[in-house]
Amino acid sequence: MIPAVHEVALAQQLNHGTSFPLIYQAEAELQDIDAVAAWVQANQQLLLEQLAERGAILFRGLPARSDLDFDRVVQSLGLANFSYAESLSNAVRKNRTERVFTANEAPPEVEIYLHHEMAQTPVYPSKLMFYCELAPSSGGATPLCRSDAVLSVLEERAPEFVSRCEQEGVRYTNVMPASADLASGQGRSWHSTLSVATKAEAEARLSALGYGFEWLVDDSLRATTSALPAIRRLDDGRRVFFNQLIAAFRGWQDARNQASKSVSFGDGQAIAESDMRIVCDAGEELTFDLPWQTGDIALVDNFLVMHGRRPFQGKRRVLASLFD
Ligand code: FE2
């Protein structure tokens, strides 16, 4: 099955002969959200196969007009929820429904660089779904980038860096504020990030996760992860550059954090800035900027594809939901 949509082209990236992302335009028969939910349910298996192969699918022209409509589509996919409240995400978000929340509350001029969702923590979702409730007047695309393609490029341009990533893994250091900092893309407070009320509880949680930590004078909390894998092997054998290095190196800059110091190899040794430049350039070269139209829904495989957020002007409301 699958019809009720047809494939369209939008100057995508080419990866191993197929276009990335896969873009579907809805036919008129998907006229209301009930029809969409039934169609998604009926095609669940095929959609998930296409997602695993291509990494991202954009659905355009669906009659999804509200957060509740989006919630319907999310539920119709029939996958378990990955809850933001229990995650260790650093982003400030607001829930609309139990499964749907605002993607990131950081100010419009702040760019959120390419990353695999929550790959800087030991727990991450396998898939993400985005919904454009309101397209911005300019900018605000969601960059999407295949990490298998990035890894192939890096193996040519920086083989030594790749083998150190593979052997050592990487660590991330982030200073979390005592209360939410809405000016930052990493502004979630340590209370909320760790789901704790007291410092003692925070310490217990971090210790259980294998993090190192240090309290700072303003009650902010510097936390360093254990060595986390930087390269991952997918079920089908493909190797991917699965981590949060680009976002951390380019973007974890705020009143508390210095971006270039936020990452290291797993043994604690610094990653050369020249290597990180090669990584960031490869990411930009291989990125497809998804230009949102109001009503668009996109499904992203978090193990295969990185995402981010370009700066924008005007209002932009993109909602998200995560799958376990
Ligand atoms: Fe994200």
Side-chain angles (χ1 to χ4, degrees):
M1 256 194 331
I2 286 262
V5 296
H6 63 274
E7 198 171 339
V8 292
L10 205 67
Q12 291 106 313
Q13 287 272 342
L14 261 189
N15 285 113
H16 307 291
T18 56
S19 54
F20 167 77
L22 175 57
I23 303 178
Y24 279 142
Q25 174 75 40
E27 308 284 4
E29 59 195 282
L30 295 180
Q31 58 203 270
D32 59 37
I33 208 66
D34 291 336
V36 173
W39 180 81
V40 170
Q41 227 169 345
N43 289 282
Q44 191 239 29
Q45 186 98 28
L46 278 169
L47 288 171
L48 293 179
E49 280 167 22
Q50 292 179 337
L51 179 67
E53 190 206 331
R54 303 278 195 108
I57 307 175
L58 169 65
F59 300 94
R60 183 152 277 180
L62 295 176
R65 312 205 200 286
S66 68
D67 46 10
L68 293 178
D69 284 352
F70 177 48
D71 189 274
R72 273 300 293 289
V73 179
V74 165
Q75 306 230 29
S76 65
L77 201 60
L79 301 175
N81 185 34
F82 181 99
S83 113
Y84 168 67
E86 287 158 30
S87 76
L88 296 161
S89 166
N90 301 120
V92 176
R93 293 166 174 163
K94 291 183 189 138
N95 270 84
R96 291 285 192 82
T97 73
E98 200 192 326
R99 296 193 63 161
V100 168
F101 51 82
T102 58
N104 192 315
E105 294 284 327
E109 64 278 10
V110 172
E111 173 147 10
I112 297 171
Y113 295 99
L114 290 173
H115 59 282
H116 287 280
E117 192 65 25
M118 296 179 216
Q120 82 283 21
T121 82
V123 277
Y124 27 75
S126 65
K127 299 168 189 65
L128 329 171
M129 207 186 248
F130 293 112
Y131 164 61
C132 182
E133 189 179 41
L134 180 69
S137 49
S138 80
T142 288
L144 295 172
C145 180
R146 283 263 297 257
S147 286
D148 56 341
V150 169
L151 186 59
S152 303
V153 167
L154 295 182
E155 281 175 325
E156 276 170 34
R157 295 183 192 169
E160 212 158 296
F161 163 78
V162 170
S163 74
R164 286 203 70 188
C165 279
E166 202 137 43
Q167 281 156 26
E168 305 281 348
V170 290
R171 290 176 194 267
Y172 304 87
T173 297
N174 176 240
V175 179
M176 296 176 267
S179 52
D181 172 6
L182 298 178
S184 166
Q186 282 69 45
R188 196 180 183 193
S189 73
W190 55 262
H191 298 92
S192 172
T193 305
L194 302 170
S195 310
V196 296
T198 67
K199 284 187 169 185
E201 286 170 6
E203 292 179 6
R205 180 94 204 270
L206 288 172
S207 298
L209 290 165
Y211 283 44
F213 57 86
E214 180 188 355
W215 292 102
L216 305 182
V217 280
D218 58 355
D219 276 350
S220 59
L221 174 58
R222 175 183 288 127
T224 299
T225 67
S226 58
L228 299 173
I231 292 169
R232 183 183 177 99
R233 189 177 286 277
L234 303 181
D235 291 342
D236 64 9
R238 278 182 291 179
R239 287 162 69 246
V240 291
F241 194 63
F242 180 82
N243 56 65
Q244 184 104 216
L245 286 177
I246 295 176
F249 178 79
R250 295 186 73 182
W252 287 12
Q253 185 76 36
D254 59 21
R256 297 165 302 284
N257 291 284
Q258 195 185 341
S260 61
K261 301 265 186 278
S262 62
V263 291
S264 71
F265 286 115
D267 61 3
Q269 296 233 0
I271 300 175
E273 288 204 22
S274 53
D275 282 333
M276 279 310 305
R277 293 248 146 70
I278 294 171
V279 175
C280 296
D281 288 349
E284 279 296 330
E285 286 166 31
L286 294 164
T287 285
F288 170 77
D289 272 327
L290 169 53
W292 289 111
Q293 288 183 8
T294 298
D296 282 352
I297 288 181
L299 189 52
V300 176
D301 184 319
N302 191 42
F303 293 143
L304 181 54
V305 169
M306 293 188 273
H307 66 279
R309 188 197 73 184
R310 301 291 191 191
F312 62 97
Q313 287 176 330
K315 286 194 163 66
R316 174 191 191 270
R317 293 200 305 269
V318 173
L319 307 182
S321 186
L322 309 178
F323 301 98
D324 213 346

